[in-house]
Amino acid sequence: FPSHDIGADCFSDTILVSGSSSDAVITQLSDLDSLMAIMEHSYLTDITISFGCPNGSVVSVYNQGGGLANVDLGFPLADDLPGNPGEGLEYSWGPASTNPNWLNISGTSFINPGGTDGGGYVVSGYYQSIDPWTNFVGCPLNGPWVIEICDIVGADDGWLFDWGVNFNPDVFGTGQGGLSIGDNGPAGGSVFYDKGFESDGWRYLEA
């Protein structure tokens, strides 16, 4: 996935997931493990982040609130427009998270001191969403999954380096779902990495 500059606009990207049975849908919250993004952005409250599933249902994971105006994601380069990439951190969100959503992390250990803008930065971790995860119940596993990040303020920017959606391997049914590390993979080698979904023609790395 190519890095993308996020500044004063909405950016979306699509992953075409395949590899499960054709009629497989999310029937319970445990079917979805996590949504992930590796990114950086100065002034967190400038942005919104949401994910969409193949039937058009959407879950927002951040919507500008929480009193986090001077808090960063990752380590952006300060006031650098049109912007060169800083250092991204990995953030993920999922139904099983016991951590709060980002509206409720001000003044907690989920914000480390320092950061580019002096107000700290959100630590890499597994967080809750803003919208209920039940929005995704009934979503097909196969098909286009979308991330959308909107930068509402044009005074600074950020970068999205990578993102993905990870399912419980048990929900994949037929096809390439459910292989474990060390299993024989579809290419005949030993699986040493599982991306969690099939996109761009691959899911597993084998040796």
Side-chain angles (χ1 to χ4, degrees), residues 92-182:
S92 61
W93 303 264
S97 173
T98 58
N99 294 330
N101 64 47
W102 286 354
L103 298 183
N104 297 290
I105 60 174
S106 180
T108 72
S109 61
F110 296 105
I111 299 176
N112 275 353
T116 302
D117 295 301
Y121 63 92
V122 180
V123 299
S124 178
Y126 181 48
Y127 294 93
Q128 269 297 339
S129 61
I130 306 297
D131 289 338
W133 291 105
T134 50
N135 287 7
F136 280 161
V137 172
C139 285
L141 275 62
N142 291 333
W145 286 77
V146 178
I147 186 173
E148 182 177 72
I149 302 174
C150 293
D151 188 333
I152 311 301
V153 181
D156 46 15
D157 72 346
W159 285 76
L160 176 67
F161 300 100
D162 197 5
W163 76 279
V165 52
N166 299 297
F167 300 105
N168 182 331
D170 293 339
V171 305
F172 264 80
T174 60
Q176 294 184 8
L179 293 180
S180 300
I181 303 302

Side-chain angles (χ1 to χ4, degrees), residues 2-207:
S3 299
H4 186 83
D5 187 4
I6 306 162
D9 61 358
C10 287
F11 164 74
S12 64
D13 186 67
T14 300
I15 289 176
L16 187 61
V17 174
S18 62
S20 71
S21 57
S22 60
D23 59 349
V25 299
I26 293 175
T27 60
Q28 54 191 354
L29 298 186
S30 60
D31 292 344
L32 178 66
D33 180 63
S34 64
L35 305 166
M36 178 277 294
I38 299 174
M39 62 182 299
E40 56 93 336
H41 200 288
S42 52
Y43 293 92
L44 176 56
T45 52
D46 286 5
I47 65 172
T48 64
I49 307 171
S50 62
F51 293 86
C53 80
N55 72 5
S57 298
V58 173
V59 167
S60 169
V61 298
Y62 183 65
N63 62 4
Q64 293 190 278
L68 304 173
N70 293 326
V71 174
D72 299 328
L73 297 179
F75 303 100
L77 302 179
D79 300 320
D80 185 39
L81 291 177
N84 294 313
E87 179 185 347
L89 290 178
E90 180 173 333
Y91 301 101
S92 61
W93 303 264
S97 173
T98 58
N99 294 330
N101 64 47
W102 286 354
L103 298 183
N104 297 290
I105 60 174
S106 180
T108 72
S109 61
F110 296 105
I111 299 176
N112 275 353
T116 302
D117 295 301
Y121 63 92
V122 180
V123 299
S124 178
Y126 181 48
Y127 294 93
Q128 269 297 339
S129 61
I130 306 297
D131 289 338
W133 291 105
T134 50
N135 287 7
F136 280 161
V137 172
C139 285
L141 275 62
N142 291 333
W145 286 77
V146 178
I147 186 173
E148 182 177 72
I149 302 174
C150 293
D151 188 333
I152 311 301
V153 181
D156 46 15
D157 72 346
W159 285 76
L160 176 67
F161 300 100
D162 197 5
W163 76 279
V165 52
N166 299 297
F167 300 105
N168 182 331
D170 293 339
V171 305
F172 264 80
T174 60
Q176 294 184 8
L179 293 180
S180 300
I181 303 302
D183 286 351
N184 289 328
S190 177
V191 173
F192 67 89
Y193 174 77
D194 179 3
K195 186 165 57 172
F197 56 92
E198 183 172 328
S199 64
D200 299 324
W202 71 279
R203 172 175 173 177
Y204 300 104
L205 294 179
E206 306 172 31

